[in-house]
Amino acid sequence: MKQIAIFLMLIANMAMVQAALNVQKITDNVYALEGETTQRSPSNFGNNSTHGVIITKEGVILIDSGASYLGAKELHETIQTITDQPIKIIINTGGQDHRWLGNDYFQQLGARIIASSKTKQDQKVRADYHLNRLGGLIKESLEGTEPFFATETFDEKMNLTLGDVNLELYHFGAAHTVGDIVVWMPSAKTMFTGDVVFNDRMLGIGPAKNVQSWIDAFEKMAEFKPEHIVPGHGKASDLATATKNTQQYLQFLIDKISKILDNDGDMLQASKIDQSNFHFLTGHKDIAGKNAQWVFEQMEFDY
């Protein structure tokens, strides 16, 4: 019955303008699949996010499974335009919806599902929240989505091998979510960062709400000196671009809020901070003021 429902949904979705994923080749057998940098919608199936693809001799490793069953199907169909290799491993880089709610689709294909232990906890705690929120945002495109939690976890580091590819998975601490990880591919000098890095789109402080921890995680990632960054949002880039779009923005907020607190200022002043230097990032009108308020709330508590 579930498959019939999905088939009917696919027919209905043909009437919608589907937001295609942009395929960006990074190196041989490494790709970024870039979704929209705007809000989740019925046409993008919740995949307003960027995903990594690694093609090995024994199959495909997909970094993050999408926000819905149909979002996962879209990712799979896009991968099939690149390779006919099967999907063998899914890595969930965090607990945000587009990092893991497509797991069920891929586990039905026999894929292993890997995440940090804190991400798995986050998946369990916030599954209902994500489904309820997505119901309002992507509506009928949520059809068929069932939470499926990671089946393999690690605390701080995991070495992973598939075919001719060796990966290192690291949890450096909370960033956008409490369990965010990065995936290092030494042979390609490529770092898959999940939501530790936002490119092109203004980051949201996120449920972890620990800005200093996010900066610390970013800086530990940067110590690897990657030549290529596949972010959680936006286009793949170099480290300098990722630093400008993420680390420098977070540090900017800390510096501005510190001055306000030093002068006994309040949250209203924080919300009015001039963030025009970052207006090149999509979504700044909706999120900039909220980011400043969230950082103020955290720093005021710790001050």
Side-chain angles (χ1 to χ4, degrees), residues 256-270:
K256 291 293 184 180
I257 298 299
S258 293
K259 290 180 181 179
I260 290 173
L261 289 170
D262 285 342
N263 291 288
D264 296 322
D266 56 24
M267 187 176 290
L268 180 60
Q269 289 176 273

Side-chain angles (χ1 to χ4, degrees), residues 6 26 37 59 74 81-82 103 109 147 156 162 183 186 188 190 222-223 233 238 248 255 280 301:
I6 295 298
I26 310 302
T37 55
E74 179 190 46
T81 68
I82 305 169
N103 285 354
L109 300 179
E156 296 180 358
L162 182 67
V183 180
T190 297
E223 290 176 2
H233 294 273
D238 56 17
Q248 289 181 5
D255 293 343
F280 63 93
F301 181 81

Side-chain angles (χ1 to χ4, degrees), residues 6 13 33 46 97 126 138 182-183 210 221 228 238 254 276:
I6 295 298
N13 283 335
L33 307 184
D97 49 11
R126 294 198 296 142
I138 72 173
V182 298
V183 180
N210 191 330
M221 176 278 294
H228 311 283
D238 56 17
I254 285 180
S276 57

